Amino acid sequence: MTLSPADRPGPVRPCLTELRLSAFAGHRGTGFGLGPVTVLAGGSGRGKTTALRAYEALARLGGGAEVAEVFPDAGACVPDRARPDAQRRRGFRIGCTADGPEGPVRLDVAVQAEPELRVVGERLTAGGLVLLETALRDPSRRTVQAAWHTAGSAPVTRAPLPDDLLGTALLPLRVAGKTDGQRRVLAAAEQMVVALRSVFACDPRPSRMRAPVPMGSGRLLGGCDNLADVLWRTSVECGRRHALLVDALRAGCPGPVADVLAEPLGDGTVRALLDRGDGFRTALRRLGDGELRYLALALVLLTGPGVLDVDAAGEVPAAMQTLTVLADGFDRSLDPRQRRELLRLAGRMGVSGHIRVVAAVSDASWITGADGAREDGAEGDEAEGNGVDGTAGVTVVHLKP
């Protein structure tokens, strides 16, 4: 990868700063900024999970996944009441902005869901200049016509690209980088791909975390089913972060907590326990759903791509990457103390720039309504508040019905 020097206008580590749902499921013309910690708030049916799904879809496309794999039920992504055109075509549009050394880079994607699933349009822009644009010219062919900025003997280069992959992710393999224009295209595409790649969609499932699990699974799954095995690994590999996890458990779990342990059982499985400090240990199967979700989310926030099941850009140094955690139902089953402690931990981890969080909650009053926090704008706009100590700058987005 050939990212620009650190003296360019954007941050050193590429990250998404905006998500756009132009026409996606129940969203039309929805767009909002993304900060180090962004909380999507709203009751059932407001589209919080849908927004997280769109973010994850862009991340997977950026990692090179085929559109059919990313959208197995593409028809559900078509906006409500969308009417087909004369050729019976319907689809959806999503996009994002990634900031980094190249400054803000914008990506917009149009997907045809019916009658055939395919990427029918894509535009990558930076500084008001269109760097890549694709369009479906011949529906009988499984390609789109692409044109990318060259600024050499010809202003653009034209070539067909497959209609089942994101063109931006293919550019590093197609653009030679011989002209200043080509190098600009490469840098912008690489920034976007790096910003998208390291995403961990997380929704811990306590019912699957209580039983012993096989050892050696390696990375934490999105449902945190293999929590005990990952605890076994992290307690051995990183004593400092394990100590921070224990501190977080003391702050959010009832009763004394001296340590959290992973105990091999001799049959190839491992179980997790809380050490209460008096010779008594509590097995995870005895903990409530809130305690288990709190433990799992704290572990996620304190680890990284090497521990979590994410598709990180291996060719880019870790110091130039930002992990984004997508946490659906962030406050589900948590008591007020636990959700405050988790948000405080997310805020602390976000300060370094190595981790960002996009979380969904049903009610954000506990964030913006306490300790003098203020809420700017009407419903549907962004608001920043510091209702929880240590979380100043948390962005709260209230989604419209």
Side-chain angles (χ1 to χ4, degrees), residues 16 26 49 58 64 80 108 157 165 218 222 226-227 275 319 347 354 398:
L16 289 199
T49 298
L58 285 167
D80 297 339
D108 293 286
T157 299
L165 297 170
N226 59 336
L227 176 72
D275 183 351
H354 286 287
H398 293 270

Side-chain angles (χ1 to χ4, degrees), residues 13 24 75 113 122 131 166 175 179-180 185 212 284 286-287 371 387:
R13 287 180 288 272
F24 187 76
E122 181 178 348
L131 302 176
L166 190 70
V175 180
T179 69
D180 288 342
V185 170
L284 252 61
R286 296 184 176 275
L287 299 182
D371 298 334

